[in-house]
Amino acid sequence: MSRTIVFLINSLAGGGAERVMATLLAHSGTMKGACDVHLVLLDDEPRAYDVPSWVQVTQLDARGSLPKSYLQTRRLFKQLKPDVCLSFLTRANVVNAALKGLGHQVLISERVNTSAHLQSRFARAIVKQTYPKAHRVLCVSSGVASDLAAHFAVPKARMQTIANPLDGAAIAARAQGQKDCALPDGPYFVAMGRFVETKNFSLLLSAFAKADIAANLVLLGDGPLRPALEQQRTDLQLHGRVLMPGFQENPFPTIAGARAFVLPSNAEGFPNALVEAMGLSVPVIATNCASGPSEILAETDRDAITFPVDAPYGMLIPCNDANAMARAMEQMEDAGVRQRLSAQAGKRAADFTPEKAAKAYWGAIQASLERADA
């Protein structure tokens, strides 16, 4: 009898988790015909990513509501009768775990550092109530797993780490396209992300103002902190040297042309943009935030890092240290340093293939089926 596997996510609107879901399904062709594969989208939003035609897609209309997500998914699952459901993102994960009583194997994928991501007590309480119910929790980094164990009562024995995939060929092809924004003359550093507190672009501006470098800085992205960052840029007299062109549909030509990519975050789950830059052989600078940069750049847990550190695949610096970031940017002025880190970045990025990630996810699904049959 064919098994029914459901992938559950809020939507396929633009975003890192959504892109990973689409990439995972695109590299799951070996499962075509072996089981019935469904993708369930909780919200009726335009899709930024395509999925294979053999994947059956159901689009609900929960409109961002957790209760509606639960009720609509429950109604659908009673029809589909899934053997396994693998979910991405917090709302989908909570719904999946809450529906455990329907009898399917519950696999949830946690893609952020949960403590940093969830600000309200209510949200934290819901996660602490539901996540431990999952049969398996798949984390994008060991730091994410450690946080779930320490603060959300998820048993370590039920967790597994699967790093996000990098579709290097697709990114390289897109990097050959037209740049979406005007760029400064001469060399520039680049950073990308939503303008929110955890991304800490304020630190980057402070460090850039301190750094004794001639290069400019390009900040790709947008968000609620744009006015504050624009004011900081003015206060630091950086208006002519810091470009903030907004969200870019295709940021990869801009990233590919940069002197270095900078990640100033206070919190990540698995920083996709960092690995994407590395996949383009761009040297990188990153804070040792929870979670992911230390595992990517030094192949070790964050807590094992002592400074100064000579990370093999990029420059790793303390969080919230503008002086350290300024020094790292100054070091990137050295062509020999850039050449070495460019080669190392490309080498490390090759470890994060879509095929490897898809094999790991389907391995977890198969193990869940075997546990259910035992």
Side-chain angles (χ1 to χ4, degrees):
M1 183 177 68
S2 180
R3 314 305 287 267
T4 299
I5 313 300
V6 170
F7 292 82
L8 179 69
I9 192 170
N10 299 356
S11 72
L12 283 187
E18 295 85 347
R19 185 166 64 251
V20 170
M21 176 67 85
T23 300
L24 169 60
L25 291 171
H27 288 82
S28 296
T30 56
M31 305 309 298
K32 181 180 179 181
C35 51
D36 293 326
V37 178
H38 295 257
L39 172 64
V40 176
L41 308 174
L42 295 177
D43 300 329
D44 187 6
E45 294 185 8
R47 301 176 200 172
Y49 307 106
D50 296 325
V51 297
S53 59
W54 55 270
V55 175
Q56 303 172 65
V57 181
T58 301
Q59 193 147 3
L60 304 178
D61 191 18
R63 304 182 185 184
S65 164
L66 179 59
K68 287 181 180 178
S69 298
Y70 172 82
L71 291 172
Q72 292 180 22
T73 306
R74 186 172 185 270
R75 189 179 306 121
L76 177 64
F77 276 21
K78 285 189 172 182
Q79 298 172 12
L80 294 180
K81 296 181 171 55
D83 294 286
V84 176
C85 176
L86 169 61
S87 53
F88 279 25
L89 297 176
T90 305
R91 176 158 48 103
N93 288 341
V94 168
V95 168
N96 189 11
L99 291 174
K100 183 180 179 180
L102 294 181
H104 65 278
Q105 288 285 301
V106 175
L107 275 66
I108 65 176
S109 176
E110 185 63 333
R111 322 200 60 75
V112 296
N113 183 279
T114 318
S115 292
H117 181 68
L118 298 180
Q119 300 301 315
S120 76
R121 290 184 179 179
F122 177 71
R124 288 174 178 241
I126 289 178
V127 166
K128 193 170 184 178
Q129 181 68 28
T130 55
Y131 275 34
K133 297 179 185 295
H135 294 99
R136 198 76 175 155
V137 179
L138 310 176
C139 304
V140 292
S141 66
S142 62
V144 168
S146 296
D147 179 68
L148 288 175
H151 300 112
F152 296 93
V154 179
K156 289 183 178 180
R158 289 194 209 159
M159 288 191 281
Q160 177 182 345
T161 298
I162 303 176
N164 280 346
L166 171 73
D167 194 339
I171 288 173
R174 294 183 67 190
Q176 299 301 313
Q178 290 282 354
K179 295 180 175 66
D180 287 351
C181 61
L183 294 175
D185 294 328
Y188 60 90
F189 289 80
V190 67
M192 181 172 71
R194 186 160 163 75
F195 293 170
V196 293
E197 188 173 350
T198 57
K199 298 298 183 181
N200 206 3
F201 288 111
S202 176
L203 170 73
L204 178 53
L205 289 179
S206 297
F208 183 69
K210 291 174 179 285
D212 183 15
I213 56 177
N216 294 305
L217 174 64
V218 178
L219 302 184
L220 300 178
D222 218 330
L225 291 185
R226 171 176 279 275
L229 292 172
E230 290 176 336
Q231 184 61 53
Q232 184 182 6
R233 178 178 63 177
T234 299
D235 294 343
L236 293 172
Q237 299 181 353
L238 296 174
H239 199 281
R241 296 185 60 209
V242 176
L243 282 70
M244 301 171 63
F247 174 79
Q248 306 297 299
E249 190 68 32
N250 180 13
F252 300 114
T254 301
I255 293 172
R259 171 152 287 183
F261 179 91
V262 188
L263 182 102
S265 298
N266 283 337
E268 292 283 346
F270 182 94
N272 291 324
L274 182 71
V275 180
E276 288 166 348
M278 295 170 72
L280 295 170
S281 295
V282 175
V284 297
I285 302 168
T287 53
N288 186 35
C289 67
S291 310
S294 70
E295 297 170 45
I296 295 166
L297 299 183
E299 295 187 89
T300 191
D301 290 342
R302 180 190 185 218
D303 293 340
I305 296 293
T306 56
F307 292 100
V309 59
D310 184 17
Y313 304 111
M315 292 186 182
L316 194 63
I317 62 170
C319 291
N320 289 308
D321 190 333
N323 290 326
M325 181 167 285
R327 288 193 297 270
M329 297 175 85
E330 290 169 353
Q331 288 178 272
M332 284 294 186
E333 294 288 276
D334 186 312
V337 171
R338 293 199 306 275
Q339 185 177 11
R340 175 177 63 86
L341 291 179
S342 171
Q344 290 294 92
K347 178 182 176 182
R348 178 60 171 150
D351 291 336
F352 303 103
T353 65
E355 294 81 7
K356 184 177 180 179
K359 182 179 180 180
Y361 276 109
W362 280 102
I365 291 169
Q366 184 60 40
S368 292
L369 290 172
E370 291 171 0
R371 282 195 300 271
D373 291 341

